[in-house]
Amino acid sequence: MYKHILLASDGSENAVRAAKEAVKIAFCNEESIIDVVYVVDFDQSKTDVLHAGSSETLDIERRKKNSKVLQYLNEAKVNYKTTILHGKPGPEIIKYANDQNVDLVVIGSRGLNALQEMVLGSVSHKVIKRVNCPALVIK
Amino acid sequence: MQTLKQQWFGNVRGDILSGIVVALALIPEALAFSIIAGVDPMVGLYASFIIATVIAFAGGRPGMISAATGAMALVMAPLVRDYGLNYLLAATILTGVIQILLGVLKVARIMKFIPNAVMIGFVNALAILIFMAQLEHFIGISTMTYVFVAVTLILLYTLPRFIKVIPVPLIAIVALTSIAIFSGVDLRTVGDLGTITQTLPTFFIPDVPLNFETLKIILPYSISLAIVGLLESLLTAQIVDDMTGTESSKNQEARGQGIANVITGFFGGMAGCAMIGQSMINVKSGGRGRLSTLVAGIFLIFLIIVLGELVVQIPMPVLVGIMIMVSIGTFDWSSFKYIMKAPRTDALVMLATVVIVVYTHDLSKGVFAGVVLSAIFFVVKISTVKIMKEGNRFTVDGQLFFASTDGFVEYFKKADIQEENLTLDFSNTRIWDESGAGAVMKVVELLREKGIHVNLIEIDASSKKIMDKLDGILSSH
């Protein structure tokens, strides 16, 4: 079954729902690991660096943004790791998924900013179109 | 860290393309920053060419873009106004020498002592000053000036949604310069503020008397320039580190900035540093390696040599519009939330930094004041000892050292204690020096004189060590 499960997360409620489904799948196989991928937009880097005193606080602040998802995974006692990528969410997730040969991508259908997604086209749509593995989109 | 070969040739295609994009985006800024500094546009253009080229080899952060910058232009403006270009070039060389020294002395470590409140204040003040420097170029000149500024801003705001590859400022410049030329509207142009020479820079020694008098004039500026340049460069390096998920050598970058400034000074360029905005453009356009910075520098001077006659015809209002956008991009808009949410003292340090920079027009003064102010706040905070009373249990909260002992002893002098036995809980404190240990002994004695027995609990190992050392001298039992 699916060993390397990529869970795309932006820290939103929708991402938590996606995490719940990812956990269900991970439970099917003891060797499964959920790779929580959080993409930091390039424009966000300047603000984040400026407001974090050091690279350690930067890392912690970003984990905090993702805390709801990580907390859920902790409680579920499932194997997981976190990966932080930089750039535009869609292309970065696709590139990472294909480079790492992940077995399954789990992604929420909506992110934090509904309006932006209407204008730019949804990240999840781009991802399911271009990853080489099966993808699960969570409503 | 990557090998040198990877740093140069690990991303050739991406680096060449992004370098070209950056060169196009650099030209309007180099022009505008020359105008802010009060020098000919060539001084900024030469600086951008030389600094980018040198830093490609000497820098510590591959993919970062360094050139003539607004922060440096603002610092040097009074020097140019009072003494002229040659003194600026001499100051630029001295700035480089100071930066090389600081790099050798491993200045990057000291950067950690600059609180982020000060850095936030720094970028905000920089944005405000860049904006203020534009006012004289469009307020009350003509109606058409306002129209061109407004149209530029609208283009810069809307076009990025549709056009991703070509830098939008370039499109605005080409479109609006053509309109201005063909419609014949009367607007001030770059040519009104200086000339463009279509030649490569040449080596010459700044024409200043080599004496103590000269040093006295340029040294304060050079120190300010060196500090401001390193601050912005090391901040930019951190941002590029984060964007690319790679590491960089900050001390090598400091030395590289110095080498670049020394060389630019001898070739008639003004002092510069790394640029946050341009470096972000470079990374976003796919630039990662040293090659991108080199291409940016070389393509910039190529464009000037080929297109110099057209550059002088760029209307000032278009440049002003671009600079207003640069200042909007520089400003840290999350500062408003920061003022509300951050600790009161941090918000105050940030605001003080901004106010002092805007008042003195010198970024280094604001940074200095911000650092001093936050150091004072830190000392006040750390030297405050609170004591919480719970029945006969007194919990000491705070650090016990030479600056904080007064409050601690004072509390027990004044306190009206009825209990005959009391417990001093040290779980939330630590004794740092002999003053701290002495103060504890003093309180124990003070209370014993009043007939109160004191029981000390929860003293950590390192505090205990200091106490034990003094045990022989102090007669507490």
Side-chain angles (χ1 to χ4, degrees):
Chain A
M1 277 290 275
Y2 306 114
K3 251 165 88 180
H4 189 174
I5 302 167
L6 187 159
L7 170 64
S9 169
D10 59 359
S12 65
E13 282 303 328
N14 203 245
V16 177
R17 277 208 294 282
K20 285 178 185 165
E21 300 307 315
V23 166
K24 281 182 201 164
I25 297 164
F27 275 150
C28 300
N29 182 352
E30 270 182 24
E31 286 173 37
S32 284
I33 178 160
I34 297 179
D35 191 348
V36 187
V37 173
Y38 180 76
V39 186
V40 181
D41 198 277
F42 279 147
D43 289 323
Q44 193 60 36
S45 275
K46 183 189 143 207
T47 319
D48 287 357
V49 168
L50 212 46
H51 286 265
S54 63
S55 55
E56 292 80 20
T57 27
L58 194 61
D59 192 50
I60 290 168
E61 285 302 318
R62 286 186 179 146
R63 277 166 197 267
K64 273 188 197 159
K65 280 186 190 156
N66 222 353
S67 62
K68 280 184 205 152
V69 168
L70 299 183
Q71 220 171 349
Y72 181 79
L73 296 177
N74 269 330
E75 282 164 15
K77 294 200 170 54
V78 63
N79 258 338
Y80 77 90
K81 64 172 182 171
T82 54
T83 304
I84 290 177
L85 302 175
H86 298 266
K88 289 205 185 76
E92 285 304 318
I93 292 169
I94 295 159
K95 191 164 158 273
Y96 181 80
N98 292 343
D99 286 352
Q100 302 284 318
N101 284 321
V102 301
D103 302 309
L104 175 72
V105 170
V106 182
I107 187 168
S109 62
R110 270 166 310 180
L112 286 168
N113 189 341
L115 181 77
Q116 209 174 16
E117 297 224 337
M118 259 168 56
V119 180
L120 300 173
S122 79
V123 172
S124 53
H125 186 230
K126 269 186 217 163
V127 170
I128 51 174
K129 235 168 45 182
R130 288 174 45 203
V131 287
N132 300 335
C133 66
L136 178 63
V137 180
I138 309 300
K139 263 183 80 171
Chain B
M1 202 103 51
Q2 299 163 299
T3 63
L4 204 59
K5 196 180 162 197
Q6 278 173 319
Q7 290 181 357
W8 272 106
F9 303 113
N11 180 34
V12 175
R13 194 171 158 267
D15 281 356
I16 291 175
L17 287 176
S18 68
I20 291 171
V21 171
V22 170
L24 297 172
L26 267 178
I27 293 175
E29 295 199 15
L31 294 172
F33 295 145
S34 305
I35 292 164
I36 289 178
V39 294
D40 227 32
M42 285 325 286
V43 179
L45 290 166
Y46 280 161
S48 297
F49 160 56
I50 294 164
I51 293 171
T53 306
V54 174
I55 213 77
F57 295 92
R61 173 63 257 180
M64 185 160 80
I65 302 296
S66 296
T69 59
M72 302 293 261
L74 287 159
V75 175
M76 64 184 68
L79 176 67
V80 176
R81 195 183 53 222
D82 297 341
Y83 297 97
L85 177 65
N86 278 298
Y87 279 82
L88 167 63
L89 300 180
T92 297
I93 295 165
L94 185 59
T95 301
V97 173
I98 296 170
Q99 287 179 328
I100 294 171
L101 281 177
L102 290 172
V104 172
L105 295 172
K106 309 238 182 297
V107 70
R109 245 185 342 213
I110 303 168
M111 276 286 292
K112 292 216 168 82
F113 289 96
I114 297 177
N116 52 345
V118 175
M119 290 312 296
I120 297 168
F122 177 89
V123 296
N124 289 344
L126 175 61
I128 293 168
L129 288 188
I130 291 177
F131 180 78
M132 282 167 61
Q134 306 311 315
L135 297 179
E136 59 172 306
H137 297 295
F138 79 97
I139 298 278
I141 293 175
S142 66
T143 317
M144 271 329 267
T145 306
Y146 287 119
V147 172
F148 266 72
V149 171
V151 172
T152 308
L153 285 173
I154 291 167
L155 286 179
L156 293 180
Y157 188 73
T158 52
L159 284 183
R161 279 152 214 257
F162 310 106
I163 298 164
K164 308 263 179 213
V165 190
I166 312 165
V168 175
L170 185 79
I171 300 171
I173 284 184
V174 172
L176 292 174
T177 306
S178 332
I179 292 173
I181 292 171
F182 291 118
S183 68
V185 284
D186 184 31
L187 291 169
R188 277 180 38 200
T189 62
V190 171
D192 294 337
L193 292 155
T195 48
I196 300 276
T197 12
Q198 287 165 284
T199 51
L200 286 171
T202 49
F203 178 89
F204 67 97
I205 292 167
D207 181 21
V208 291
L210 285 174
N211 56 25
F212 187 68
E213 201 58 34
T214 306
L215 186 69
K216 230 169 68 186
I217 294 165
I218 64 172
L219 186 63
Y221 286 102
S222 294
I223 292 173
S224 287
L225 287 167
I227 293 169
V228 169
L230 288 180
L231 268 183
E232 190 171 356
S233 299
L234 297 183
L235 173 65
T236 310
Q238 279 176 36
I239 294 170
V240 176
D241 284 358
D242 186 57
M243 288 175 85
T244 57
T246 53
E247 286 183 6
S248 60
S249 162
K250 307 289 187 295
N251 289 314
Q252 189 189 339
E253 184 58 42
R255 291 197 303 274
Q257 290 290 331
I259 295 167
N261 278 327
V262 169
I263 297 177
T264 196
F266 279 118
F267 280 90
M270 64 197 232
C273 64
M275 315 174 83
I276 300 175
Q278 298 290 339
S279 300
M280 286 173 75
I281 291 174
N282 190 35
V283 175
K284 277 193 216 168
S285 313
R288 293 290 181 280
R290 292 178 180 274
L291 191 61
S292 61
T293 316
L294 182 69
V295 171
I298 290 175
F299 195 61
L300 169 110
I301 203 70
F302 169 75
L303 283 172
I304 292 305
I305 289 175
V306 177
L307 304 170
E309 295 137 42
L310 292 172
V311 170
V312 286
Q313 300 190 42
I314 298 172
M316 274 309 289
V318 180
L319 213 49
V320 167
I322 293 169
M323 281 301 112
I324 292 175
M325 226 42 198
V326 167
S327 92
I328 291 172
T330 304
F331 197 86
D332 175 48
W333 292 97
S334 58
S335 296
F336 296 106
K337 211 168 84 189
Y338 179 81
I339 293 174
M340 306 304 290
K341 285 195 172 163
R344 274 274 156 276
T345 50
D346 285 2
L348 205 65
V349 167
M350 197 275 274
L351 288 173
T353 307
V354 173
V355 169
I356 289 165
V357 173
V358 173
Y359 183 72
T360 61
H361 278 240
D362 186 340
L363 286 153
S364 67
K365 290 202 179 90
V367 168
F368 186 72
V371 169
V372 170
L373 193 62
S374 57
I376 292 170
F377 281 141
F378 179 72
V379 170
V380 169
K381 188 177 149 204
I382 201 123
S383 61
T384 312
V385 175
K386 279 198 208 119
I387 290 148
M388 259 101 70
K389 186 177 187 288
E390 230 177 285
N392 69 340
R393 188 192 187 92
F394 291 74
T395 309
V396 186
D397 197 4
Q399 308 300 317
L400 283 174
F401 67 112
F402 65 91
S404 69
T405 50
D406 277 0
F408 172 67
V409 177
E410 209 56 26
Y411 176 88
F412 288 99
K413 266 191 193 158
K414 285 186 187 150
D416 181 29
I417 299 163
Q418 304 298 332
E419 295 87 353
E420 283 185 8
N421 273 305
L422 64 82
T423 306
L424 258 183
D425 184 342
F426 283 79
S427 55
N428 283 338
T429 185
R430 193 173 154 186
I431 296 159
W432 288 93
D433 56 10
E434 296 190 344
S435 306
V440 174
M441 302 291 188
K442 204 165 162 185
V443 165
V444 172
E445 260 172 64
L446 200 82
L447 293 172
R448 199 174 38 200
E449 278 166 21
K450 291 187 190 171
I452 304 164
H453 179 76
V454 184
N455 188 20
L456 306 180
I457 61 161
E458 301 268 358
I459 300 178
D460 71 293
S462 78
S463 302
K464 189 112 194 3
K465 232 193 225 158
I466 299 170
M467 297 273 287
D468 288 345
K469 250 193 235 164
L470 292 177
D471 219 18
I473 324 165
L474 295 163
S475 54
S476 61
H477 15 224

